[in-house]
Amino acid sequence: MELELELEKEKGAEMEMEMGMRVLVVDDSPIDRKIVEGLLKRNGNGFFKVIAVDSGLKAMELLRLNKQKSEPESLASKEINIDIILTDYCMPEMTGYDLLRAVKNFSRTIPVVIMSSENEPQRISRCKADGAEDFILKPLQTNDVQKLRNYANRSAKPSKLKSGTKRKMTNQLELASAMNITEWKPHLSRVVMVLKSSRLDISPYFPLACKVVVLFYAMLCLNQLLHR
């Protein structure tokens, strides 16, 4: 049952990857929001699904970060359908830096990229020190889109099975194999008795017969495991 749940989760992650990455764009300038959204759609080849808001407070509301940590609907306990956040630094009421700290306080798995028209080293260093994936200068360029894609891919769930799941599969395969050997042991005994009572000289073919029998039971065990 646990194996089936793990496989379902991995399948869901793969489906999300096929649907594309959801980017939350946060900027108080409607012109800048349109520019960023258009750039992502034109150069992302359908990879990005853009969700745009005009303030950090609205981003907080969308991410459910305006709730207390102890509440069950917080980011820590409920999945939010956002894969990466691209936010402007200078915004009224709540800056991009404040949003960055709020997001990282609840979840360090969502990458946050800050964008700004001002190239201030101290500001850039502070944002990166507090967990910003990158600090991009406006206006965004085509190569910045590829950076965002890389950041989103890095944070996405791996499509391969985890090592723990692989160990579970191995253990279940071994268990199924042992069960099948026990079930078929009487049949093997009968085959051996028939061969012994036969007048034919089967000694030249005995190693090959053993290999065929082992291969047959290995395939049988694998088949039963896959149909559980």
Side-chain angles (χ1 to χ4, degrees), residues 108-121:
R108 294 190 175 274
T109 60
I110 302 179
V112 180
V113 175
I114 307 291
M115 54 183 176
S116 175
S117 57
E118 300 176 4
N119 186 8
E120 295 187 9

Side-chain angles (χ1 to χ4, degrees), residues 151-185:
Y151 299 145
N153 278 329
R154 192 186 308 168
S155 66
K157 296 178 182 180
S159 58
K160 296 181 180 179
L161 291 176
K162 298 178 181 179
S163 58
T165 304
K166 292 181 180 178
R167 286 196 297 271
K168 291 177 184 178
M169 291 181 67
T170 303
N171 294 336
Q172 291 189 17
L173 179 59
E174 292 175 352
L175 178 60
S177 178
M179 291 173 63
N180 279 281
I181 290 175
T182 303
E183 294 174 1
W184 286 86
K185 198 171 182 180

Side-chain angles (χ1 to χ4, degrees), residues 5-161:
L5 291 175
E6 288 289 342
L7 292 174
E8 285 296 327
K9 290 180 180 178
E10 298 297 337
K11 185 178 179 181
E14 290 178 356
M15 290 179 63
E16 287 183 358
M17 286 291 292
E18 292 176 358
M19 291 172 60
M21 286 293 172
R22 293 163 291 260
V23 183
L24 176 60
V25 176
V26 188
D27 200 316
D28 61 311
S29 170
I31 296 177
D32 286 348
R33 287 200 307 273
K34 287 295 182 181
I35 291 175
V36 172
E37 185 174 356
L39 184 66
L40 292 176
K41 289 183 176 179
R42 285 195 308 271
N43 298 281
N45 297 322
F47 182 78
F48 295 111
K49 179 179 178 182
V50 181
I51 302 169
V53 294
D54 59 7
S55 69
L57 295 178
K58 287 187 178 179
M60 292 275 288
E61 183 178 353
L62 179 67
L63 295 168
R64 305 183 194 278
L65 295 179
N66 52 353
K67 296 181 180 296
Q68 299 296 324
K69 283 185 177 181
S70 58
E71 293 186 25
E73 290 189 353
S74 66
L75 181 61
S77 62
K78 184 174 182 178
E79 289 188 10
I80 304 299
N81 294 327
I82 295 297
D83 298 299
I84 185 169
I85 299 171
L86 179 61
T87 178
D88 185 30
Y89 184 90
C90 294
M91 294 184 294
E93 296 183 337
M94 186 176 196
T95 67
Y97 175 72
D98 294 331
L99 178 60
L100 165 69
R101 295 190 62 184
V103 171
K104 294 304 177 180
N105 187 42
F106 277 83
S107 172
R108 294 190 175 274
T109 60
I110 302 179
V112 180
V113 175
I114 307 291
M115 54 183 176
S116 175
S117 57
E118 300 176 4
N119 186 8
E120 295 187 9
Q122 186 176 359
R123 178 184 295 177
I124 296 173
S125 299
R126 183 174 63 166
C127 289
K128 289 187 174 181
D130 282 332
E133 201 74 28
D134 201 351
F135 195 103
I136 299 176
L137 294 177
K138 290 182 176 181
L140 269 65
Q141 306 296 325
T142 303
N143 61 330
D144 294 324
V145 177
Q146 183 57 46
K147 289 181 182 179
L148 294 175
R149 186 167 188 159
N150 294 337
Y151 299 145
N153 278 329
R154 192 186 308 168
S155 66
K157 296 178 182 180
S159 58
K160 296 181 180 179
L161 291 176

Side-chain angles (χ1 to χ4, degrees), residues 195 201-215:
L195 291 175
D201 184 13
I202 62 171
S203 56
Y205 309 102
F206 190 75
L208 177 61
C210 290
K211 292 180 180 179
V212 171
V213 171
V214 171
L215 179 61

